[in-house]
Amino acid sequence: MSATFLEIRPRELKDELYELDGISSATIDAHHRLYQGYVMKRNEILAKLAAVDLEAANQVYSDVRALKIDLTFAIGGIKNHEIYFEHLGGDGGNPSGAIATLIERDFGSANNWRADMKATGMGGRGWAWTAFDWDEGRLFNYIGDAQNTFPVWNATPLVALDVYEHAYFLDYQTDRGAYIDAFFRNLDWDVVNGWIRAYRIPTG
Ligand SMILES: [Fe+2]
């Protein structure tokens, strides 16, 4: 008997996601279907794990190993995209409120943060995240190559920039930089500030 689990359902998209500046509805629709796939696979993997043969665990190959590794990809795909969709649909521009205070303190300016985040996104193969590291008490822009690489422990993501080609190829072909600029134009800083309040991230 492995861990018990609860099935989860995909979140619906906000209406604002279909009115983005520079990211088309066709891209958003296709992207949302990919996200739904991660949710379905997460449920499927956990159902299989609930019945897995624990005695057969093996580091070279075993069902428990294969399922638990790919579970991290599915869960990463869920969490990353839920942040991504939730904090798009705003007016972009410079950060305001608590996130502006943190960015100013830890990057020096909004322009510095944007430049570093864009470079992180250009350098990553899947994701760039601005996250608050609870041990250091600071923001940092982390790089990711896939849904499950390379988050760090005890850090809370506040901005999640998807740079997988499915996020932009339809609208920009290979011009990832133009897509990242569009991503910045559509960020909803009020949503980010809501997370800072909900998670009680200190800003002083
Ligand atoms: Fe994606």
Side-chain angles (χ1 to χ4, degrees), residues 51-63:
V52 78
D53 180 3
L54 297 177
E55 297 300 317
N58 181 282
Q59 64 164 336
V60 179
Y61 168 76
S62 55
D63 289 344

Side-chain angles (χ1 to χ4, degrees), residues 166-188:
H166 64 242
Y168 63 87
F169 201 84
L170 196 59
D171 299 325
Y172 296 97
Q173 298 194 10
T174 57
D175 190 354
R176 186 191 293 186
Y179 155 74
I180 292 175
D181 292 339
F183 171 84
F184 289 143
R185 289 200 304 276
N186 290 284
L187 273 175
D188 188 337

Side-chain angles (χ1 to χ4, degrees), residues 10-11 13 17-18 20 23-39 76-88 126-127 147 160-171 179 183:
R11 292 185 190 171
L13 286 178
L17 272 288
Y18 291 107
L20 299 181
I23 302 174
S24 67
S25 297
T27 291
I28 290 293
D29 260 337
H31 207 162
H32 191 245
R33 284 196 295 278
L34 288 176
Y35 155 71
Q36 291 172 317
Y38 291 122
V39 174
I78 295 167
K79 291 177 185 276
N80 291 330
H81 287 97
E82 288 184 350
I83 299 167
Y84 179 80
F85 290 130
E86 191 66 27
H87 71 3
L88 288 178
W127 288 91
Q147 306 297 349
L161 165 58
D162 193 339
V163 293
Y164 271 92
E165 285 175 349
H166 64 242
Y168 63 87
F169 201 84
L170 196 59
D171 299 325
Y179 155 74
F183 171 84

Side-chain angles (χ1 to χ4, degrees), residues 80-140:
N80 291 330
H81 287 97
E82 288 184 350
I83 299 167
Y84 179 80
F85 290 130
E86 191 66 27
H87 71 3
L88 288 178
D91 298 327
N94 282 329
S96 56
I99 187 64
T101 304
L102 292 173
I103 283 176
E104 183 85 17
R105 185 192 68 189
D106 298 339
F107 290 90
S109 69
N111 279 342
N112 287 352
W113 169 78
R114 250 190 308 271
D116 189 86
M117 189 63 168
K118 186 170 184 178
T120 307
M122 294 302 290
R125 297 171 185 166
W127 288 91
W129 301 279
T130 301
F132 180 80
D133 182 319
W134 288 90
D135 301 308
E136 297 197 8
R138 288 171 59 82
L139 297 180
F140 189 81

Side-chain angles (χ1 to χ4, degrees), residues 90 96 141 195:
S96 56
N141 290 334
W195 291 332

